[in-house]
Amino acid sequence: MDLKSTVASIVDWPIEGVIFRDLTTLMKNPEALRESCDIFYERYKDKNIDKVVGIDARGFVFGAVLAYKLGVGFIPVRKKGKLPADTIEESYSLEYGSGTLEMHKDSLDVGDKVVIVDDLIATGGTAGATVNLVKKLGAEIVECAFLIELPDLKGRERLNGCKMFAMMEFDGE
């Protein structure tokens, strides 16, 4: 299946000049959803992953499925103010805004091998912030995994040297 063809491109959303890559069209397609989740599983099934870290919000969809298939725990990284226990936080900027992400202080153990999952990497703001959060807790990042990379926005440069995998790329097309 051509996964790229299942992604909608919304011009000038959420602001003028942005082409939003909408993965809800991929997610509503059962074959595309299954194939994308299977690609992640095949990539990480033999990597001795201890936890999957998913970035709010669509990273929860793919990250939780991966954690389930691997038989490991799932750790949500949320926007500030959404987690109930003691948290650590990291601020970031992205293509059209800024914010702060949090994760529970007790969510990872020193030395845990993790994969960070999100739907898309653009400028790398949320992914870079998540990398910093995971490193603060002493876990080892095996890789950052995305369905889509927008290479023109150079997000991989903000991953602090972490390895990265993306299933598909959309240039400034």
Side-chain angles (χ1 to χ4, degrees), residues 32-165:
L33 179 61
R34 183 173 24 264
E35 184 171 328
S36 57
C37 291
D38 287 348
I39 289 169
F40 279 150
Y41 174 70
E42 288 299 320
R43 185 166 184 88
Y44 299 108
K45 69 180 181 182
D46 297 322
K47 302 279 190 196
N48 299 312
I49 302 295
D50 296 305
K51 306 261 177 41
V52 175
V53 175
I55 302 173
D56 197 345
R58 287 176 298 242
F60 295 174
V61 174
F62 299 95
V65 171
L66 179 59
Y68 170 77
K69 289 182 77 144
L70 293 174
V72 302
F74 174 76
I75 308 302
V77 172
R78 305 273 337 249
K79 293 176 179 95
K80 187 175 176 79
K82 300 289 185 180
L83 292 172
D86 290 336
T87 61
I88 58 172
E89 67 179 45
E90 185 79 20
S91 295
Y92 63 94
S93 60
L94 43 93
E95 190 176 5
Y96 44 84
S98 63
T100 301
L101 293 177
E102 294 181 323
M103 70 188 307
H104 283 140
K105 286 181 181 178
D106 65 354
S107 60
L108 297 171
D109 295 320
V110 172
D112 275 349
K113 291 177 70 174
V114 306
V115 59
I116 296 171
V117 177
D118 204 2
D119 63 329
L120 182 143
I121 182 165
T123 64
T126 55
T130 301
V131 165
N132 292 341
L133 288 169
V134 170
K135 287 183 173 185
K136 283 180 186 178
L137 294 179
E140 175 191 339
I141 301 167
V142 173
E143 202 164 58
C144 294
F146 307 93
L147 278 88
I148 294 174
E149 178 184 11
L150 305 178
D152 294 351
L153 298 177
K154 304 185 184 320
R156 74 172 53 227
E157 295 174 8
R158 294 179 72 180
L159 297 179
N160 300 325
C162 291
K163 287 177 55 180
M164 193 193 100
F165 168 72

